[in-house]
Amino acid sequence: MSAAAALGLCIALAAGGPPLTRLPLDPHLPLDRFTLAWTHSVERIRWRETWIIGTDGSLHAGEAVIEGSGAGMEPPDDARLIDGHWVYTPHLPPQDALTLANSTMTGPHDICIAGRCRSLFDIAPGARNRPVRLFPCPGDALSSGSTTAPEAGTAR
């Protein structure tokens, strides 16, 4: 992917195939970061992770925020407690894609862009209850039909 290409976030079924949708919807608007938010299914604690879409075609972990703690959810040693939220930067290598369960048995993931959040169930309704992959894509991914999700095993 060239550095000059407008970047976006593609959402595809984890099983493979072309993107179901691209964010932002306007292919001429670049997207260089997004926040993934969800509520822990057992502890009912909100998590947020900011991801940067690199011109290298990878996702880079940015700031993460945990709105509390609970069993199996201990913040890392370098987390800072700010206004009751644990804030840290995950120590992860660049990711080709993120895989999400996208199950209706738990609350949906929210994808937030420029402060506006939407449920993954609403963004890609055809993928409800089916694992999805989020990955960087060029601005014309849906119109060109040439972008497919990266191979399994590259996400967290």
Side-chain angles (χ1 to χ4, degrees):
M1 183 176 324
S2 76
L7 296 175
L9 181 68
C10 279
I11 302 171
L13 294 176
L20 300 170
T21 192
R22 177 205 180 274
L23 299 174
L25 295 177
D26 182 342
H28 297 94
L29 295 175
L31 175 68
D32 67 350
R33 70 184 57 237
F34 65 95
T35 299
L36 187 60
W38 68 95
T39 300
H40 189 277
S41 61
V42 175
E43 295 288 346
R44 310 304 307 161
I45 293 174
R46 192 76 170 159
W47 288 58
R48 292 189 312 267
E49 294 177 343
T50 298
W51 288 89
I52 295 125
I53 302 172
T55 56
D56 63 352
S58 296
L59 297 171
H60 301 265
E63 182 178 80
V65 177
I66 307 171
E67 296 179 3
S69 62
M73 298 175 31
E74 294 76 20
D77 292 337
D78 61 346
R80 303 170 321 279
L81 186 60
I82 301 173
D83 295 328
H85 299 85
W86 291 103
V87 180
Y88 65 100
T89 300
H91 302 286
L92 295 171
Q95 304 289 304
D96 292 332
L98 303 176
T99 301
L100 308 177
N102 201 32
S103 170
T104 57
M105 300 303 286
T106 62
H109 287 84
D110 290 327
I111 297 177
C112 308
I113 298 170
R116 182 168 179 253
C117 299
R118 291 181 55 206
S119 159
L120 183 56
F121 290 170
D122 293 338
I123 295 169
R128 185 176 277 216
N129 247 357
R130 299 170 74 186
V132 296
R133 296 177 64 74
L134 311 178
F135 59 96
C137 60
D140 62 351
L142 292 179
S143 60
S144 71
S146 62
T147 299
T148 57
E151 293 300 317
T154 57
R156 40 180 227 121

